[in-house]
Every structure is written in structure tokens, then in C-alpha cells.
Amino acid sequence: MEILTFGNEILTRKAKEVIDFTVIPKLVLHMFETLDKGGIGLAAPQVGVSLRLFITDVVGDKKRVFINPKITSTSAMTCSMEEGCLSFPGIYFPVERPEGVMIEYYDEENKKQGMWASGMLARVVQHEYDHLDGILFIKYYNWGDKHE
Ligand code: ZN
């Protein structure tokens, strides 16, 4: 699948809830094929499908699919980590986010799941979750306060 890059209107749209789960297996398969070319997370809007679904493939963790996810709580502690985005090739900068998040979601079999994500997974989950609301990571770019 082709990855949409910055400037495409779909990336800034609020994605719709998944209702028809019959489209999921094929979509997820194609998204993982795309992610396998390089990357640790991919949201459906990035491949032009405006649905609330994202996948993760973090080193040391299994491949995960999050459908209709909701972040229900976040840790008070935040940390700064370098982030990149497949929709912004070549752009990396540190972003401050909560260290951990509680996320509720549906899996590929439409079963409700919940987990506490921490470390790199929490980072990717928050980045991809933002994509579902049309929020792009450049929003967090720190321009500094060097303006005189
Ligand atoms: Zn991204």
C-alpha cells in the first residue's frame, strides 16, 4: 500500500469507527506488508483508509492490531523520545509524552482487549492513536523560545 505523506487531506481527518470487521483481515495484512518495509507503527489513515485502526511492530514485542482504541488513562510521568513518522520521511525530533498509557481496543476477532503499554510500545501507541484523530506529530515540534 502507498503511504500518504504530509499534505494529504486524509491525514488530518478524524477517522471513523470500524463497524464492518469483514474488511479487517485484508486491510491488516496489507498494512503489515507495508510496515515490513520499515517502521514500527502504521495507522489506517496513513494508507488512505480513514478508519480507527492501527498496527504496531515494536522490537521485542509481538505484532499488534488496535481497532477502535481508546486511551483511558496516562501516567503522570512523561519522557522525551525521538520520533519519526512514515508520512514525514527523514524528519525526526524529540517529543514529550506520558511514559505509559492504558489502552482499550478490539482485536481482529472483534474481542475487547485492554492493556497497559509502556516504553517504546506506549510511545508508538500514542503516536498512532493521534493519527486517528488527524493529529500529526509536527504539532509537538518545539520551536523553542528564541523569538526576541
Ligand atoms: Zn506517524
Side-chain angles (χ1 to χ4, degrees):
M1 297 176 105
E2 197 196 329
I3 295 176
L4 305 184
T5 50
F6 182 56
N8 192 298
E9 176 269 330
I10 293 173
L11 290 175
T12 52
R13 218 189 272 171
K14 195 173 158 79
K16 291 198 160 61
E17 296 267 314
V18 173
I19 295 163
D20 177 11
F21 275 70
T22 62
V23 303
I24 298 302
K26 203 172 174 188
L27 175 61
V28 164
L29 181 73
H30 287 155
M31 283 176 70
F32 273 117
E33 278 172 8
T34 305
L35 191 59
D36 282 347
K37 291 176 198 153
I40 53 176
L42 184 66
Q46 290 181 279
V47 290
V49 179
S50 196
L51 286 175
R52 304 190 74 79
L53 179 159
F54 64 80
I55 61 172
T56 64
D57 188 9
V58 173
V59 178
D61 188 30
K62 62 176 184 175
K63 292 182 177 185
R64 295 181 185 274
V65 180
F66 297 85
I67 301 167
N68 297 338
K70 280 193 175 65
I71 290 178
T72 54
S73 66
T74 57
S75 64
M77 199 81 114
T78 62
C79 63
S80 184
M81 282 170 88
E82 185 129 298
E83 282 186 31
C85 179
L86 293 171
S87 296
F88 292 79
I91 296 176
Y92 302 90
F93 57 87
V95 177
E96 181 104 9
R97 295 187 193 266
E99 277 185 334
V101 295
M102 178 71 202
I103 184 161
E104 291 176 1
Y105 60 99
Y106 291 84
D107 66 17
E108 292 164 88
E109 273 117 48
N110 200 358
K111 283 197 197 101
K112 196 168 186 187
Q113 305 283 352
M115 71 177 295
W116 177 258
S118 60
M120 188 55 86
L121 183 62
R123 175 65 43 166
V124 179
V125 157
Q126 292 175 83
H127 178 113
E128 302 309 330
Y129 189 83
D130 274 352
H131 273 297
L132 307 185
D133 288 327
I135 297 168
L136 301 170
F137 83 137
I138 44 162
K139 176 189 158 174
Y140 305 107
Y141 184 77
N142 181 4
W143 293 91
D145 38 19
K146 295 178 192 105
H147 319 284
E148 304 270 317

